[in-house]
Amino acid sequence: MDKHQPHNASDVSSAFPVDTIRAMFPALQQAGDFIFMDNAAGAQIPQSVLDAVTNHLVAHNVQRGGR
């Protein structure tokens, strides 16, 4: 067995911080226990990306007359 592979299913859940990752995505706070992160309808965005985009649009997105 590869030394990087967990030995059993309980090792997988303890090795991957599901709750930590889930907490980064605001939309997942409203989701049930079973969700898909990727689908044809769109993608989830972590809070840090939402904050950065909002900051850009509110504070830095300005037209400078073509300069």
Side-chain angles (χ1 to χ4, degrees):
M1 177 177 266
D2 184 351
K3 68 179 182 178
H4 299 292
Q5 296 297 322
H7 296 287
N8 60 45
S10 65
D11 289 343
V12 172
S13 63
S14 66
F16 188 77
V18 174
D19 293 332
T20 302
I21 301 298
R22 183 181 287 263
M24 293 180 195
F25 295 83
L28 298 183
Q29 303 304 314
Q30 302 170 22
D33 291 335
F34 188 79
I35 53 111
F36 290 98
M37 291 294 285
D38 187 23
N39 62 50
Q44 300 303 316
I45 300 171
Q47 185 66 51
S48 59
V49 173
L50 290 171
D51 293 343
V53 170
T54 300
N55 179 49
H56 171 75
L57 292 173
V58 171
H60 304 288
N61 190 24
V62 62
Q63 298 297 323
R64 300 181 187 259
R67 293 185 208 171

